[in-house]
Amino acid sequence: MSRGNTRQRIQDVALELFADRGYEKTSLREIAEQLGVTKAALYYHFKTKEDLVASIFDDYAARPTDELIDWASDQPTSLETKLEILRRYSECLSGAEPLFRFMHENQAALRDLSIGERMKDRVLTLLDLIREEDAPLTDQVRCSSALFTMHSTMFTMRDTPFANDEKRQAALEVAQELVTAAHHGNPEG
């Protein structure tokens, strides 16, 4: 098995255990046991649980979101750009569903980890890209609600009979409606 595949397998198993048992209650020893490897083999890839979580965050969410932010920063602040930002962000979230499940289930632990602050910074940057700074407060709240809708739907709608893709698409549609309403409510837009 190649190093990259081993690393990904460790991340996947750890993420599942963190989401199911909680970050604080899951040890590196338990992750190694679940994988059927020694702790030394696990330590070869990750020295601490925080290193492991940081790598998961980077691979699942940070890199794709950073690429989106880089792209969006060079685009005009048109409604079409804002809607495309939301569409692309929805794709980022789709690839990071296990991570967001972990984040929702382990909010207290995230406050003590660097990834919580890093994720918050990215979300606030995205908000700055889809809202007008001088827009009325209600329109700024619409834009903020759009991002919240995209983040929370998978968690709050987890027990519904709809497929994840359907939920993600519905959240995207609502988010785009909110941003469109905010954009049209702004005389500059």
Side-chain angles (χ1 to χ4, degrees):
M1 184 176 281
S2 74
R3 187 171 192 269
N5 289 338
T6 300
R7 175 184 162 88
Q8 185 174 2
R9 191 168 150 241
I10 292 168
Q11 289 173 327
D12 291 345
V13 167
L15 193 52
E16 186 67 31
L17 290 173
F18 292 154
D20 289 344
R21 296 182 188 168
Y23 175 79
E24 297 295 337
K25 294 179 182 175
T26 303
S27 68
L28 288 176
R29 178 188 52 76
E30 291 170 309
I31 295 168
E33 287 174 2
Q34 184 76 22
L35 288 161
V37 301
T38 65
K39 275 185 11 180
L42 187 63
Y43 286 135
Y44 175 77
H45 295 279
F46 304 102
K47 302 298 182 217
T48 65
K49 278 197 310 186
E50 186 165 355
D51 289 344
L52 177 51
V53 170
S55 76
I56 293 168
F57 174 76
D58 287 342
D59 290 353
Y60 277 90
R63 284 187 193 105
T65 305
D66 288 345
E67 290 170 7
L68 170 58
I69 289 168
D70 288 345
W71 172 84
S73 297
D74 293 333
Q75 302 302 312
T77 56
S78 66
L79 177 58
E80 292 75 23
T81 298
K82 293 173 185 181
L83 297 178
E84 183 62 15
I85 290 169
L86 293 174
R87 190 192 66 71
R88 290 181 183 208
Y89 191 53
S90 179
E91 289 176 8
C92 291
L93 294 176
S94 174
E97 283 175 26
L99 176 65
F100 284 97
R101 181 173 160 237
F102 159 75
M103 292 174 76
H104 280 290
E105 299 294 332
N106 293 277
Q107 291 180 21
L110 286 176
R111 281 190 280 278
D112 298 331
L113 299 174
S114 63
I115 67 166
E117 194 64 32
R118 291 168 52 207
M119 186 63 196
K120 182 175 82 174
D121 290 343
R122 284 172 175 83
V123 170
L124 292 174
T125 299
L126 286 170
L127 178 58
D128 288 342
L129 290 166
I130 63 170
R131 74 178 167 100
E132 302 294 328
E133 190 175 308
D134 59 347
L137 179 58
T138 53
D139 288 335
Q140 293 192 40
V141 170
R142 283 182 180 98
C143 292
S144 177
S145 297
L147 289 176
F148 180 77
T149 295
M150 293 176 73
H151 285 162
S152 67
T153 296
M154 297 308 284
F155 175 72
T156 59
M157 304 289 290
R158 70 180 178 264
D159 295 329
T160 63
F162 302 101
N164 285 346
D165 283 344
E166 291 175 291
K167 290 184 261 189
R168 187 173 58 84
Q169 188 59 42
L172 174 60
E173 184 178 325
V174 169
Q176 288 180 327
E177 288 171 1
L178 287 165
V179 169
T180 298
H183 187 82
H184 288 287
N186 184 358
E188 298 293 317

